[in-house]
């Protein structure tokens, strides 16, 4: 736990070294990589029996230093859910361009005001860092870990980060959920051969 905290501090300092321009370009590449991935999943779904249901994609409202994927909200091929936290609980709730937003209880991050819960088929997770073993280091409150541990449905989990936040190894604990894919501006890693493209 202490080791995780010292890595979090180092990452927050390192993040300041990258210029906005560098991140702007990398951000566009991450959007392209994620949307190509989602399109391939939509095609798979169109060929399956579940096609009458629209794919639900879990995105997130970006915080400083995280890739901004909000451009992906506007697409007729999927519906979008965004995390909403209330106390210790997190759910994904419906988000469309123009949906009303409110500040979360920490006063730093926006979340939709509505309470229309959606359970994603594919969840895109931000992280301070990810490892080549599929582990994610978050802000340390465990919201995503707790969410996935209480949901029965198989949700494909895609970690996204800038390439410089990809580590060979990160400390992890038994409760840490593992990613199925990690997408950066320079790499796409698949951890589950059954799900591979
Ligand atoms: N963009 C984004 N949305 C996300 C997450 C995330 O990591 N990134 N989360 C991933 O779990 C959940 C929310 N986690 C959050 C974690 C910290 C703070 C925050 O404002 N922290 C304060 C200190 C809070 C405290 O410990 O008292 C801060 O950073 O100053 C907000 C939301 C769901 N939504
Ligand atoms: N499934 C779970 N049930 C109960 N507690 C959990 C669960 N998963 C994580 N926690 C608790 O949440 C706390 C934070 O966990 P961790 O350090 O892994 O956070 P994180 O995944 O980096 O954060 P976040 O998901 O908020 O970005 C820990 O104290 C951990 O015990």
């Amino acid at each position: 736990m202490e080791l995780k905290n010292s890595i979090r501090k180092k990452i927050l300092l390192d993040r300041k070294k990258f210029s906005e321009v560098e991140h702007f370009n990398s951000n566009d590449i991450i959007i392209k990589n994620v949307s190509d991935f989602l399109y391939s999943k939509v095609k798979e779904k169109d060929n399956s029996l579940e096609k009458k249901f629209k794919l639900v994609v879990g995105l997130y409202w970006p915080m400083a230093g995280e890739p901004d994927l909000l451009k992906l909200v506007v697409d007729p091929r999927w519906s979008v859910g965004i995390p909403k936290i209330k106390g210790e609980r997190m759910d994904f709730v419906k988000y469309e361009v123009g949906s009303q937003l409110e500040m979360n209880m920490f006063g730093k991050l926006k979340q939709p005001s509505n309470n229309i819960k959606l359970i994603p088929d594919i969840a895109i997770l931000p992280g301070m860092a990810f490892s080549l073993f599929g582990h994610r280091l978050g802000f340390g409150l465990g919201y995503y870990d707790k969410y996935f541990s209480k949901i029965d449905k198989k949700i494909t989990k895609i970690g996204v980060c800038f390439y410089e936040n990809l580590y060979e190894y990160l400390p992890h604990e038994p409760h840490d959920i593992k990613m199925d894919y990690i997408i950066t501006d320079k790499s796409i890693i698949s951890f589950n051969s059954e799900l591979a493209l």
Side-chain angles (χ1 to χ4, degrees), residues 1-25:
M1 203 57 193
E2 271 316 299
L3 186 55
K4 275 189 177 176
N5 282 335
S6 65
I7 296 176
R8 284 188 184 102
K9 274 190 199 138
K10 179 182 172 315
I11 291 166
L12 284 175
L13 287 174
D14 281 353
R15 274 189 176 177
K16 300 207 169 90
K17 288 189 206 145
F18 292 93
S19 71
E20 275 190 29
V21 178
E22 276 169 288
H23 269 182
F24 189 81
N25 294 330

PDB file of all heavy atoms in Angstrom, residues 1-25:
ATOM      1  N   MET A   1       0.843  -1.217   0.000  1.00  0.00           N
ATOM      2  CA  MET A   1       0.000   0.000   0.000  1.00  0.00           C
ATOM      3  C   MET A   1       0.876   1.263   0.000  1.00  0.00           C
ATOM      4  O   MET A   1       0.649   2.186  -0.773  1.00  0.00           O
ATOM      5  CB  MET A   1      -0.898  -0.037   1.241  1.00  0.00           C
ATOM      6  CG  MET A   1      -2.135   0.798   1.102  1.00  0.00           C
ATOM      7  SD  MET A   1      -3.117   0.301  -0.328  1.00  0.00           S
ATOM      8  CE  MET A   1      -4.226   1.673  -0.423  1.00  0.00           C
ATOM      9  N   GLU A   2       1.933   1.268   0.876  1.00  0.00           N
ATOM     10  CA  GLU A   2       2.851   2.407   0.924  1.00  0.00           C
ATOM     11  C   GLU A   2       3.588   2.570  -0.396  1.00  0.00           C
ATOM     12  O   GLU A   2       3.805   3.675  -0.887  1.00  0.00           O
ATOM     13  CB  GLU A   2       3.880   2.227   2.066  1.00  0.00           C
ATOM     14  CG  GLU A   2       3.399   2.789   3.382  1.00  0.00           C
ATOM     15  CD  GLU A   2       2.742   4.155   3.218  1.00  0.00           C
ATOM     16  OE1 GLU A   2       3.447   5.083   2.756  1.00  0.00           O
ATOM     17  OE2 GLU A   2       1.540   4.319   3.526  1.00  0.00           O
ATOM     18  N   LEU A   3       3.967   1.417  -0.982  1.00  0.00           N
ATOM     19  CA  LEU A   3       4.671   1.429  -2.258  1.00  0.00           C
ATOM     20  C   LEU A   3       3.774   2.045  -3.335  1.00  0.00           C
ATOM     21  O   LEU A   3       4.198   2.876  -4.127  1.00  0.00           O
ATOM     22  CB  LEU A   3       5.056  -0.018  -2.623  1.00  0.00           C
ATOM     23  CG  LEU A   3       5.921  -0.204  -3.862  1.00  0.00           C
ATOM     24  CD1 LEU A   3       7.182   0.640  -3.737  1.00  0.00           C
ATOM     25  CD2 LEU A   3       6.299  -1.677  -4.020  1.00  0.00           C
ATOM     26  N   LYS A   4       2.486   1.654  -3.324  1.00  0.00           N
ATOM     27  CA  LYS A   4       1.548   2.228  -4.297  1.00  0.00           C
ATOM     28  C   LYS A   4       1.522   3.747  -4.145  1.00  0.00           C
ATOM     29  O   LYS A   4       1.533   4.476  -5.123  1.00  0.00           O
ATOM     30  CB  LYS A   4       0.131   1.697  -4.046  1.00  0.00           C
ATOM     31  CG  LYS A   4      -0.175   0.364  -4.702  1.00  0.00           C
ATOM     32  CD  LYS A   4      -1.672   0.079  -4.560  1.00  0.00           C
ATOM     33  CE  LYS A   4      -2.095  -1.186  -5.247  1.00  0.00           C
ATOM     34  NZ  LYS A   4      -3.520  -1.509  -5.036  1.00  0.00           N
ATOM     35  N   ASN A   5       1.491   4.220  -2.867  1.00  0.00           N
ATOM     36  CA  ASN A   5       1.405   5.668  -2.648  1.00  0.00           C
ATOM     37  C   ASN A   5       2.641   6.397  -3.145  1.00  0.00           C
ATOM     38  O   ASN A   5       2.545   7.482  -3.717  1.00  0.00           O
ATOM     39  CB  ASN A   5       1.180   5.979  -1.162  1.00  0.00           C
ATOM     40  CG  ASN A   5      -0.271   5.732  -0.787  1.00  0.00           C
ATOM     41  OD1 ASN A   5      -1.147   5.801  -1.656  1.00  0.00           O
ATOM     42  ND2 ASN A   5      -0.524   5.419   0.474  1.00  0.00           N
ATOM     43  N   SER A   6       3.842   5.793  -2.959  1.00  0.00           N
ATOM     44  CA  SER A   6       5.035   6.500  -3.418  1.00  0.00           C
ATOM     45  C   SER A   6       5.078   6.513  -4.944  1.00  0.00           C
ATOM     46  O   SER A   6       5.529   7.480  -5.551  1.00  0.00           O
ATOM     47  CB  SER A   6       6.307   5.927  -2.792  1.00  0.00           C
ATOM     48  OG  SER A   6       6.493   4.618  -3.225  1.00  0.00           O
ATOM     49  N   ILE A   7       4.581   5.465  -5.586  1.00  0.00           N
ATOM     50  CA  ILE A   7       4.532   5.472  -7.059  1.00  0.00           C
ATOM     51  C   ILE A   7       3.533   6.524  -7.538  1.00  0.00           C
ATOM     52  O   ILE A   7       3.787   7.252  -8.489  1.00  0.00           O
ATOM     53  CB  ILE A   7       4.173   4.074  -7.606  1.00  0.00           C
ATOM     54  CG1 ILE A   7       5.282   3.086  -7.243  1.00  0.00           C
ATOM     55  CG2 ILE A   7       3.989   4.107  -9.114  1.00  0.00           C
ATOM     56  CD1 ILE A   7       5.011   1.656  -7.642  1.00  0.00           C
ATOM     57  N   ARG A   8       2.400   6.644  -6.838  1.00  0.00           N
ATOM     58  CA  ARG A   8       1.408   7.674  -7.218  1.00  0.00           C
ATOM     59  C   ARG A   8       2.051   9.069  -7.196  1.00  0.00           C
ATOM     60  O   ARG A   8       1.858   9.864  -8.101  1.00  0.00           O
ATOM     61  CB  ARG A   8       0.214   7.658  -6.262  1.00  0.00           C
ATOM     62  CG  ARG A   8      -0.741   6.510  -6.509  1.00  0.00           C
ATOM     63  CD  ARG A   8      -2.020   6.618  -5.674  1.00  0.00           C
ATOM     64  NE  ARG A   8      -2.847   5.450  -5.878  1.00  0.00           N
ATOM     65  CZ  ARG A   8      -2.943   4.426  -5.008  1.00  0.00           C
ATOM     66  NH1 ARG A   8      -2.292   4.452  -3.860  1.00  0.00           N
ATOM     67  NH2 ARG A   8      -3.709   3.388  -5.295  1.00  0.00           N
ATOM     68  N   LYS A   9       2.841   9.341  -6.126  1.00  0.00           N
ATOM     69  CA  LYS A   9       3.479  10.669  -6.001  1.00  0.00           C
ATOM     70  C   LYS A   9       4.439  10.915  -7.152  1.00  0.00           C
ATOM     71  O   LYS A   9       4.463  11.988  -7.747  1.00  0.00           O
ATOM     72  CB  LYS A   9       4.257  10.756  -4.672  1.00  0.00           C
ATOM     73  CG  LYS A   9       3.374  11.189  -3.550  1.00  0.00           C
ATOM     74  CD  LYS A   9       4.172  11.526  -2.297  1.00  0.00           C
ATOM     75  CE  LYS A   9       3.259  11.492  -1.094  1.00  0.00           C
ATOM     76  NZ  LYS A   9       3.852  10.849   0.085  1.00  0.00           N
ATOM     77  N   LYS A  10       5.235   9.908  -7.478  1.00  0.00           N
ATOM     78  CA  LYS A  10       6.216  10.049  -8.553  1.00  0.00           C
ATOM     79  C   LYS A  10       5.495  10.310  -9.885  1.00  0.00           C
ATOM     80  O   LYS A  10       5.911  11.167 -10.667  1.00  0.00           O
ATOM     81  CB  LYS A  10       7.063   8.768  -8.653  1.00  0.00           C
ATOM     82  CG  LYS A  10       8.084   8.818  -9.766  1.00  0.00           C
ATOM     83  CD  LYS A  10       8.850   7.497  -9.852  1.00  0.00           C
ATOM     84  CE  LYS A  10       9.759   7.409 -11.070  1.00  0.00           C
ATOM     85  NZ  LYS A  10       9.212   7.847 -12.324  1.00  0.00           N
ATOM     86  N   ILE A  11       4.409   9.596 -10.126  1.00  0.00           N
ATOM     87  CA  ILE A  11       3.694   9.761 -11.395  1.00  0.00           C
ATOM     88  C   ILE A  11       3.114  11.164 -11.512  1.00  0.00           C
ATOM     89  O   ILE A  11       3.182  11.792 -12.558  1.00  0.00           O
ATOM     90  CB  ILE A  11       2.588   8.698 -11.539  1.00  0.00           C
ATOM     91  CG1 ILE A  11       3.239   7.326 -11.717  1.00  0.00           C
ATOM     92  CG2 ILE A  11       1.671   9.003 -12.718  1.00  0.00           C
ATOM     93  CD1 ILE A  11       2.302   6.171 -11.542  1.00  0.00           C
ATOM     94  N   LEU A  12       2.568  11.677 -10.394  1.00  0.00           N
ATOM     95  CA  LEU A  12       1.992  13.024 -10.440  1.00  0.00           C
ATOM     96  C   LEU A  12       3.071  14.057 -10.774  1.00  0.00           C
ATOM     97  O   LEU A  12       2.831  15.002 -11.522  1.00  0.00           O
ATOM     98  CB  LEU A  12       1.303  13.362  -9.119  1.00  0.00           C
ATOM     99  CG  LEU A  12      -0.054  12.677  -8.930  1.00  0.00           C
ATOM    100  CD1 LEU A  12      -0.614  12.961  -7.541  1.00  0.00           C
ATOM    101  CD2 LEU A  12      -1.064  13.129  -9.992  1.00  0.00           C
ATOM    102  N   LEU A  13       4.293  13.865 -10.262  1.00  0.00           N
ATOM    103  CA  LEU A  13       5.390  14.786 -10.580  1.00  0.00           C
ATOM    104  C   LEU A  13       5.801  14.629 -12.044  1.00  0.00           C
ATOM    105  O   LEU A  13       5.980  15.608 -12.761  1.00  0.00           O
ATOM    106  CB  LEU A  13       6.607  14.511  -9.680  1.00  0.00           C
ATOM    107  CG  LEU A  13       6.468  14.954  -8.231  1.00  0.00           C
ATOM    108  CD1 LEU A  13       7.672  14.504  -7.416  1.00  0.00           C
ATOM    109  CD2 LEU A  13       6.329  16.483  -8.161  1.00  0.00           C
ATOM    110  N   ASP A  14       5.933  13.377 -12.504  1.00  0.00           N
ATOM    111  CA  ASP A  14       6.345  13.112 -13.892  1.00  0.00           C
ATOM    112  C   ASP A  14       5.365  13.703 -14.888  1.00  0.00           C
ATOM    113  O   ASP A  14       5.750  14.148 -15.949  1.00  0.00           O
ATOM    114  CB  ASP A  14       6.429  11.596 -14.158  1.00  0.00           C
ATOM    115  CG  ASP A  14       7.709  11.004 -13.594  1.00  0.00           C
ATOM    116  OD1 ASP A  14       8.556  11.794 -13.137  1.00  0.00           O
ATOM    117  OD2 ASP A  14       7.853   9.774 -13.627  1.00  0.00           O
ATOM    118  N   ARG A  15       4.064  13.676 -14.526  1.00  0.00           N
ATOM    119  CA  ARG A  15       3.040  14.153 -15.456  1.00  0.00           C
ATOM    120  C   ARG A  15       3.283  15.594 -15.859  1.00  0.00           C
ATOM    121  O   ARG A  15       2.960  16.013 -16.954  1.00  0.00           O
ATOM    122  CB  ARG A  15       1.647  14.062 -14.814  1.00  0.00           C
ATOM    123  CG  ARG A  15       1.037  12.707 -14.992  1.00  0.00           C
ATOM    124  CD  ARG A  15      -0.403  12.725 -14.538  1.00  0.00           C
ATOM    125  NE  ARG A  15      -1.005  11.430 -14.813  1.00  0.00           N
ATOM    126  CZ  ARG A  15      -2.241  11.107 -14.479  1.00  0.00           C
ATOM    127  NH1 ARG A  15      -3.004  11.963 -13.856  1.00  0.00           N
ATOM    128  NH2 ARG A  15      -2.725   9.923 -14.766  1.00  0.00           N
ATOM    129  N   LYS A  16       3.870  16.375 -14.944  1.00  0.00           N
ATOM    130  CA  LYS A  16       4.092  17.798 -15.210  1.00  0.00           C
ATOM    131  C   LYS A  16       5.152  18.008 -16.288  1.00  0.00           C
ATOM    132  O   LYS A  16       5.257  19.065 -16.870  1.00  0.00           O
ATOM    133  CB  LYS A  16       4.509  18.507 -13.917  1.00  0.00           C
ATOM    134  CG  LYS A  16       3.461  18.404 -12.828  1.00  0.00           C
ATOM    135  CD  LYS A  16       3.522  19.572 -11.847  1.00  0.00           C
ATOM    136  CE  LYS A  16       2.324  19.601 -10.925  1.00  0.00           C
ATOM    137  NZ  LYS A  16       2.506  18.836  -9.687  1.00  0.00           N
ATOM    138  N   LYS A  17       5.989  16.977 -16.548  1.00  0.00           N
ATOM    139  CA  LYS A  17       7.093  17.132 -17.507  1.00  0.00           C
ATOM    140  C   LYS A  17       6.622  17.126 -18.957  1.00  0.00           C
ATOM    141  O   LYS A  17       7.331  17.571 -19.834  1.00  0.00           O
ATOM    142  CB  LYS A  17       8.096  15.982 -17.336  1.00  0.00           C
ATOM    143  CG  LYS A  17       8.913  16.064 -16.080  1.00  0.00           C
ATOM    144  CD  LYS A  17      10.014  15.007 -16.131  1.00  0.00           C
ATOM    145  CE  LYS A  17      10.452  14.607 -14.749  1.00  0.00           C
ATOM    146  NZ  LYS A  17      10.817  13.201 -14.661  1.00  0.00           N
ATOM    147  N   PHE A  18       5.457  16.572 -19.219  1.00  0.00           N
ATOM    148  CA  PHE A  18       5.015  16.477 -20.604  1.00  0.00           C
ATOM    149  C   PHE A  18       4.197  17.707 -20.991  1.00  0.00           C
ATOM    150  O   PHE A  18       3.329  18.142 -20.248  1.00  0.00           O
ATOM    151  CB  PHE A  18       4.196  15.201 -20.813  1.00  0.00           C
ATOM    152  CG  PHE A  18       5.054  13.976 -20.694  1.00  0.00           C
ATOM    153  CD1 PHE A  18       5.188  13.323 -19.486  1.00  0.00           C
ATOM    154  CD2 PHE A  18       5.769  13.523 -21.796  1.00  0.00           C
ATOM    155  CE1 PHE A  18       6.019  12.223 -19.367  1.00  0.00           C
ATOM    156  CE2 PHE A  18       6.595  12.419 -21.690  1.00  0.00           C
ATOM    157  CZ  PHE A  18       6.720  11.765 -20.474  1.00  0.00           C
ATOM    158  N   SER A  19       4.544  18.262 -22.157  1.00  0.00           N
ATOM    159  CA  SER A  19       3.868  19.494 -22.554  1.00  0.00           C
ATOM    160  C   SER A  19       2.459  19.187 -23.040  1.00  0.00           C
ATOM    161  O   SER A  19       2.138  18.057 -23.400  1.00  0.00           O
ATOM    162  CB  SER A  19       4.645  20.167 -23.680  1.00  0.00           C
ATOM    163  OG  SER A  19       4.488  19.406 -24.859  1.00  0.00           O
ATOM    164  N   GLU A  20       1.648  20.238 -23.058  1.00  0.00           N
ATOM    165  CA  GLU A  20       0.271  20.047 -23.519  1.00  0.00           C
ATOM    166  C   GLU A  20       0.226  19.610 -24.975  1.00  0.00           C
ATOM    167  O   GLU A  20      -0.631  18.851 -25.370  1.00  0.00           O
ATOM    168  CB  GLU A  20      -0.512  21.347 -23.346  1.00  0.00           C
ATOM    169  CG  GLU A  20      -1.057  21.463 -21.945  1.00  0.00           C
ATOM    170  CD  GLU A  20      -2.040  22.596 -21.799  1.00  0.00           C
ATOM    171  OE1 GLU A  20      -2.717  22.936 -22.779  1.00  0.00           O
ATOM    172  OE2 GLU A  20      -2.103  23.147 -20.689  1.00  0.00           O
ATOM    173  N   VAL A  21       1.180  20.135 -25.781  1.00  0.00           N
ATOM    174  CA  VAL A  21       1.186  19.785 -27.206  1.00  0.00           C
ATOM    175  C   VAL A  21       1.454  18.290 -27.375  1.00  0.00           C
ATOM    176  O   VAL A  21       0.771  17.605 -28.139  1.00  0.00           O
ATOM    177  CB  VAL A  21       2.253  20.603 -27.980  1.00  0.00           C
ATOM    178  CG1 VAL A  21       2.285  20.183 -29.447  1.00  0.00           C
ATOM    179  CG2 VAL A  21       1.963  22.086 -27.850  1.00  0.00           C
ATOM    180  N   GLU A  22       2.453  17.797 -26.646  1.00  0.00           N
ATOM    181  CA  GLU A  22       2.745  16.356 -26.720  1.00  0.00           C
ATOM    182  C   GLU A  22       1.508  15.545 -26.378  1.00  0.00           C
ATOM    183  O   GLU A  22       1.182  14.572 -27.044  1.00  0.00           O
ATOM    184  CB  GLU A  22       3.865  15.989 -25.737  1.00  0.00           C
ATOM    185  CG  GLU A  22       5.258  16.228 -26.268  1.00  0.00           C
ATOM    186  CD  GLU A  22       6.287  16.090 -25.159  1.00  0.00           C
ATOM    187  OE1 GLU A  22       6.344  16.979 -24.287  1.00  0.00           O
ATOM    188  OE2 GLU A  22       7.016  15.095 -25.168  1.00  0.00           O
ATOM    189  N   HIS A  23       0.826  15.962 -25.298  1.00  0.00           N
ATOM    190  CA  HIS A  23      -0.355  15.211 -24.880  1.00  0.00           C
ATOM    191  C   HIS A  23      -1.504  15.350 -25.862  1.00  0.00           C
ATOM    192  O   HIS A  23      -2.265  14.434 -26.071  1.00  0.00           O
ATOM    193  CB  HIS A  23      -0.788  15.638 -23.470  1.00  0.00           C
ATOM    194  CG  HIS A  23      -0.130  14.788 -22.433  1.00  0.00           C
ATOM    195  ND1 HIS A  23      -0.378  14.933 -21.103  1.00  0.00           N
ATOM    196  CD2 HIS A  23       0.746  13.780 -22.556  1.00  0.00           C
ATOM    197  CE1 HIS A  23       0.338  14.037 -20.442  1.00  0.00           C
ATOM    198  NE2 HIS A  23       1.030  13.342 -21.299  1.00  0.00           N
ATOM    199  N   PHE A  24      -1.597  16.513 -26.491  1.00  0.00           N
ATOM    200  CA  PHE A  24      -2.669  16.755 -27.453  1.00  0.00           C
ATOM    201  C   PHE A  24      -2.577  15.738 -28.597  1.00  0.00           C
ATOM    202  O   PHE A  24      -3.558  15.101 -28.969  1.00  0.00           O
ATOM    203  CB  PHE A  24      -2.545  18.189 -27.983  1.00  0.00           C
ATOM    204  CG  PHE A  24      -3.708  18.616 -28.806  1.00  0.00           C
ATOM    205  CD1 PHE A  24      -4.877  19.047 -28.204  1.00  0.00           C
ATOM    206  CD2 PHE A  24      -3.631  18.591 -30.193  1.00  0.00           C
ATOM    207  CE1 PHE A  24      -5.967  19.443 -28.963  1.00  0.00           C
ATOM    208  CE2 PHE A  24      -4.717  18.979 -30.967  1.00  0.00           C
ATOM    209  CZ  PHE A  24      -5.886  19.411 -30.349  1.00  0.00           C
ATOM    210  N   ASN A  25      -1.346  15.582 -29.138  1.00  0.00           N
ATOM    211  CA  ASN A  25      -1.160  14.640 -30.243  1.00  0.00           C
ATOM    212  C   ASN A  25      -1.380  13.204 -29.785  1.00  0.00           C
ATOM    213  O   ASN A  25      -2.062  12.428 -30.458  1.00  0.00           O
ATOM    214  CB  ASN A  25       0.248  14.783 -30.841  1.00  0.00           C
ATOM    215  CG  ASN A  25       0.405  16.136 -31.509  1.00  0.00           C
ATOM    216  OD1 ASN A  25      -0.570  16.704 -32.002  1.00  0.00           O
ATOM    217  ND2 ASN A  25       1.618  16.656 -31.520  1.00  0.00           N
TER     218      ASN A  25
END
